[in-house]
Amino acid sequence: MQAGSSSTKTGQTFWVVAVPKKYAKLEDVYKHTMQYLNAKVSVLDHPTNFRNGTMDELYGLSDDLGRMDQFVEVVVSKIVKQIKDLSAESGRDDKKFSLVVGNTNIQTYLNRFEWNDSKYRTQSTLRDIAEGITQEVTQTDEELRDSQAKFTAVSHAIEVAERNKSGSLQVRDLSSVIKANHIIESEHLTTLFVVVSKHNEKDWINSYEHLSEFVVPRSSKEITSDNENSLRSVVLFKTDVDTFKTAASKKKFLVRDFTYNPDVTDEQTEKIKDQKDQRAEIQGDLTRWCKQSFSETFASWIHLKIIRLFVESVLRFGLPREYTFFLLEPDMRKGEKKLRDALQQKFGHLGSEHMLGDTGDVNLAGASEEFYPYVFTSFEL
């Protein structure tokens, strides 16, 4: 019994080992783990009055619990990633990033874990409790996607608006660049604005007056430039505009369509400001929602894991239904194998050597997974 891995980690790893209560003494497990491997050990509390149903029902539920566990883990991981992304965007120090369940940190929540019977009634069947958790987390996942879509949409709109203001002269909005004094407009004359590659500037200077018949001599002025292009104005007769555009295109000069409006720049600036205010509001709401949803979803996930551990323990060890769940916080720098060896030394007698193949894989409760003499699950945040 192992949970799938998630893509976003905070570096916290937890193992849970379930064994029959008569073989479980906290001080002995502590001696075999903490003493040599710096692994913190505590007992994860759980109800003893679950309605587990028949063995056939438990086997079927075991298969479904594996899928439910993986689904909830994915949602938890999504929420954690979103919290980290929002924290980074706000410029917060990633080293100070922390996750809270209720009003406490994860370690304290797990060490003091109490089954929430007011929310997950043990009078209900284990399947009903597990399916209720899954439905609840499914709704959370949908709300997260909706909130992310809103935040992404306004962020994209801001990016587009700012790119239009500061992108390449070939595509950016020119309202903030072209001023009234750059324009000559009369009954017969008009001003065009042309993007010229810096590689073609000499060609432009030497040829623009000859691109059509009625170009005003020496009328071209450089308005602005970027790394690759310059924006130049040219004055000509209105009757000559189409001819000029055709000739300019053949020489790879880009004539930008532009209509001067003195109010546009202020409107665009105000629009971007409003969009940024909107994004800040959505970001704040999303941050608060994610933190609250993480607290609720993580708590639901642990309740689901308790059910899964209990079901696997009944299928593995049978009656009486008295099991101890040890929560370990391993120091992974010491090595997983050493911790496995310590647990094998303590609980190896619970398993039968003939159950182990060359690869250590067995078919347990309908899922082919690595076999240990104890029921095991792990998760990482």
Side-chain angles (χ1 to χ4, degrees), residues 252-268:
K252 302 187 182 305
F253 302 139
L254 175 63
V255 179
R256 294 289 309 272
D257 292 328
F258 176 78
T259 301
Y260 179 70
N261 182 342
D263 298 326
V264 169
T265 300
D266 292 338
E267 290 175 359
Q268 289 178 335

mmCIF file of all heavy atoms in Angstrom, residues 252-268:
data_model
loop_
_atom_site.group_PDB
_atom_site.id
_atom_site.type_symbol
_atom_site.label_atom_id
_atom_site.label_comp_id
_atom_site.label_asym_id
_atom_site.label_seq_id
_atom_site.Cartn_x
_atom_site.Cartn_y
_atom_site.Cartn_z
ATOM 1 N N LYS A 252 10.376 45.551 -47.940
ATOM 2 C CA LYS A 252 10.325 45.059 -46.559
ATOM 3 C C LYS A 252 10.251 46.180 -45.520
ATOM 4 O O LYS A 252 10.769 46.046 -44.398
ATOM 5 C CB LYS A 252 11.495 44.130 -46.262
ATOM 6 C CG LYS A 252 11.560 42.918 -47.186
ATOM 7 C CD LYS A 252 12.625 41.932 -46.755
ATOM 8 C CE LYS A 252 12.712 40.767 -47.719
ATOM 9 N NZ LYS A 252 11.426 40.066 -47.926
ATOM 10 N N PHE A 253 9.608 47.292 -45.881
ATOM 11 C CA PHE A 253 9.278 48.345 -44.930
ATOM 12 C C PHE A 253 7.822 48.121 -44.515
ATOM 13 O O PHE A 253 6.955 47.962 -45.374
ATOM 14 C CB PHE A 253 9.443 49.736 -45.535
ATOM 15 C CG PHE A 253 10.827 50.016 -46.058
ATOM 16 C CD1 PHE A 253 10.993 50.701 -47.271
ATOM 17 C CD2 PHE A 253 11.961 49.629 -45.371
ATOM 18 C CE1 PHE A 253 12.252 50.972 -47.772
ATOM 19 C CE2 PHE A 253 13.233 49.888 -45.867
ATOM 20 C CZ PHE A 253 13.378 50.560 -47.072
ATOM 21 N N LEU A 254 7.573 48.128 -43.200
ATOM 22 C CA LEU A 254 6.220 47.845 -42.702
ATOM 23 C C LEU A 254 5.496 49.145 -42.371
ATOM 24 O O LEU A 254 5.863 49.855 -41.434
ATOM 25 C CB LEU A 254 6.294 46.967 -41.452
ATOM 26 C CG LEU A 254 4.969 46.677 -40.743
ATOM 27 C CD1 LEU A 254 4.024 45.894 -41.649
ATOM 28 C CD2 LEU A 254 5.213 45.922 -39.424
ATOM 29 N N VAL A 255 4.444 49.448 -43.105
ATOM 30 C CA VAL A 255 3.617 50.620 -42.839
ATOM 31 C C VAL A 255 2.566 50.229 -41.807
ATOM 32 O O VAL A 255 1.743 49.337 -42.058
ATOM 33 C CB VAL A 255 2.953 51.144 -44.119
ATOM 34 C CG1 VAL A 255 2.084 52.370 -43.785
ATOM 35 C CG2 VAL A 255 3.996 51.503 -45.168
ATOM 36 N N ARG A 256 2.601 50.862 -40.650
ATOM 37 C CA ARG A 256 1.648 50.548 -39.586
ATOM 38 C C ARG A 256 0.378 51.357 -39.756
ATOM 39 O O ARG A 256 0.427 52.575 -39.983
ATOM 40 C CB ARG A 256 2.261 50.863 -38.212
ATOM 41 C CG ARG A 256 3.449 49.995 -37.807
ATOM 42 C CD ARG A 256 3.005 48.574 -37.473
ATOM 43 N NE ARG A 256 1.903 48.533 -36.526
ATOM 44 C CZ ARG A 256 2.045 48.529 -35.193
ATOM 45 N NH1 ARG A 256 3.268 48.545 -34.665
ATOM 46 N NH2 ARG A 256 0.992 48.494 -34.406
ATOM 47 N N ASP A 257 -0.761 50.691 -39.636
ATOM 48 C CA ASP A 257 -2.041 51.406 -39.646
ATOM 49 C C ASP A 257 -2.196 52.095 -38.301
ATOM 50 O O ASP A 257 -2.092 51.461 -37.242
ATOM 51 C CB ASP A 257 -3.199 50.435 -39.866
ATOM 52 C CG ASP A 257 -3.190 49.823 -41.264
ATOM 53 O OD1 ASP A 257 -2.746 50.534 -42.197
ATOM 54 O OD2 ASP A 257 -3.615 48.666 -41.416
ATOM 55 N N PHE A 258 -2.459 53.387 -38.327
ATOM 56 C CA PHE A 258 -2.532 54.128 -37.077
ATOM 57 C C PHE A 258 -3.444 55.337 -37.245
ATOM 58 O O PHE A 258 -3.359 56.073 -38.230
ATOM 59 C CB PHE A 258 -1.137 54.617 -36.655
ATOM 60 C CG PHE A 258 -1.143 55.475 -35.415
ATOM 61 C CD1 PHE A 258 -1.250 54.891 -34.162
ATOM 62 C CD2 PHE A 258 -1.067 56.859 -35.514
ATOM 63 C CE1 PHE A 258 -1.264 55.673 -33.027
ATOM 64 C CE2 PHE A 258 -1.073 57.655 -34.374
ATOM 65 C CZ PHE A 258 -1.175 57.049 -33.126
ATOM 66 N N THR A 259 -4.335 55.510 -36.258
ATOM 67 C CA THR A 259 -5.198 56.690 -36.206
ATOM 68 C C THR A 259 -4.978 57.369 -34.865
ATOM 69 O O THR A 259 -5.159 56.737 -33.808
ATOM 70 C CB THR A 259 -6.677 56.309 -36.353
ATOM 71 O OG1 THR A 259 -6.866 55.640 -37.599
ATOM 72 C CG2 THR A 259 -7.560 57.553 -36.308
ATOM 73 N N TYR A 260 -4.590 58.594 -34.872
ATOM 74 C CA TYR A 260 -4.241 59.290 -33.647
ATOM 75 C C TYR A 260 -5.490 59.614 -32.827
ATOM 76 O O TYR A 260 -6.487 60.130 -33.339
ATOM 77 C CB TYR A 260 -3.497 60.591 -33.957
ATOM 78 C CG TYR A 260 -3.124 61.384 -32.727
ATOM 79 C CD1 TYR A 260 -2.147 60.923 -31.861
ATOM 80 C CD2 TYR A 260 -3.776 62.591 -32.429
ATOM 81 C CE1 TYR A 260 -1.806 61.644 -30.732
ATOM 82 C CE2 TYR A 260 -3.436 63.320 -31.295
ATOM 83 C CZ TYR A 260 -2.456 62.832 -30.444
ATOM 84 O OH TYR A 260 -2.119 63.535 -29.316
ATOM 85 N N ASN A 261 -5.425 59.291 -31.522
ATOM 86 C CA ASN A 261 -6.509 59.628 -30.596
ATOM 87 C C ASN A 261 -5.852 59.985 -29.268
ATOM 88 O O ASN A 261 -5.296 59.113 -28.594
ATOM 89 C CB ASN A 261 -7.466 58.446 -30.420
ATOM 90 C CG ASN A 261 -8.630 58.783 -29.504
ATOM 91 O OD1 ASN A 261 -8.597 59.741 -28.744
ATOM 92 N ND2 ASN A 261 -9.688 57.973 -29.579
ATOM 93 N N PRO A 262 -5.866 61.240 -28.862
ATOM 94 C CA PRO A 262 -5.143 61.660 -27.651
ATOM 95 C C PRO A 262 -5.675 61.017 -26.368
ATOM 96 O O PRO A 262 -4.971 60.997 -25.356
ATOM 97 C CB PRO A 262 -5.350 63.182 -27.625
ATOM 98 C CG PRO A 262 -6.581 63.418 -28.450
ATOM 99 C CD PRO A 262 -6.568 62.366 -29.507
ATOM 100 N N ASP A 263 -6.896 60.476 -26.394
ATOM 101 C CA ASP A 263 -7.473 59.894 -25.181
ATOM 102 C C ASP A 263 -7.105 58.423 -24.997
ATOM 103 O O ASP A 263 -7.277 57.867 -23.912
ATOM 104 C CB ASP A 263 -9.004 60.009 -25.217
ATOM 105 C CG ASP A 263 -9.466 61.461 -25.243
ATOM 106 O OD1 ASP A 263 -8.780 62.297 -24.619
ATOM 107 O OD2 ASP A 263 -10.486 61.753 -25.894
ATOM 108 N N VAL A 264 -6.606 57.789 -26.067
ATOM 109 C CA VAL A 264 -6.370 56.343 -26.010
ATOM 110 C C VAL A 264 -5.310 55.976 -24.986
ATOM 111 O O VAL A 264 -5.462 55.023 -24.219
ATOM 112 C CB VAL A 264 -5.976 55.812 -27.408
ATOM 113 C CG1 VAL A 264 -5.458 54.380 -27.303
ATOM 114 C CG2 VAL A 264 -7.170 55.865 -28.339
ATOM 115 N N THR A 265 -4.211 56.719 -24.947
ATOM 116 C CA THR A 265 -3.115 56.389 -24.037
ATOM 117 C C THR A 265 -3.569 56.393 -22.591
ATOM 118 O O THR A 265 -3.280 55.470 -21.823
ATOM 119 C CB THR A 265 -1.953 57.381 -24.215
ATOM 120 O OG1 THR A 265 -1.486 57.311 -25.556
ATOM 121 C CG2 THR A 265 -0.810 57.027 -23.273
ATOM 122 N N ASP A 266 -4.304 57.421 -22.187
ATOM 123 C CA ASP A 266 -4.806 57.489 -20.815
ATOM 124 C C ASP A 266 -5.767 56.337 -20.532
ATOM 125 O O ASP A 266 -5.756 55.763 -19.437
ATOM 126 C CB ASP A 266 -5.512 58.828 -20.575
ATOM 127 C CG ASP A 266 -4.533 59.992 -20.600
ATOM 128 O OD1 ASP A 266 -3.322 59.747 -20.385
ATOM 129 O OD2 ASP A 266 -4.969 61.128 -20.826
ATOM 130 N N GLU A 267 -6.600 56.005 -21.517
ATOM 131 C CA GLU A 267 -7.549 54.907 -21.338
ATOM 132 C C GLU A 267 -6.822 53.580 -21.150
ATOM 133 O O GLU A 267 -7.204 52.761 -20.307
ATOM 134 C CB GLU A 267 -8.493 54.838 -22.545
ATOM 135 C CG GLU A 267 -9.477 56.004 -22.633
ATOM 136 C CD GLU A 267 -10.309 55.954 -23.902
ATOM 137 O OE1 GLU A 267 -10.089 55.008 -24.697
ATOM 138 O OE2 GLU A 267 -11.160 56.833 -24.091
ATOM 139 N N GLN A 268 -5.777 53.365 -21.949
ATOM 140 C CA GLN A 268 -5.031 52.111 -21.844
ATOM 141 C C GLN A 268 -4.310 52.002 -20.508
ATOM 142 O O GLN A 268 -4.296 50.945 -19.882
ATOM 143 C CB GLN A 268 -4.032 52.002 -22.994
ATOM 144 C CG GLN A 268 -4.685 51.762 -24.346
ATOM 145 C CD GLN A 268 -3.664 51.714 -25.460
ATOM 146 O OE1 GLN A 268 -2.588 52.293 -25.337
ATOM 147 N NE2 GLN A 268 -3.994 51.032 -26.545
#
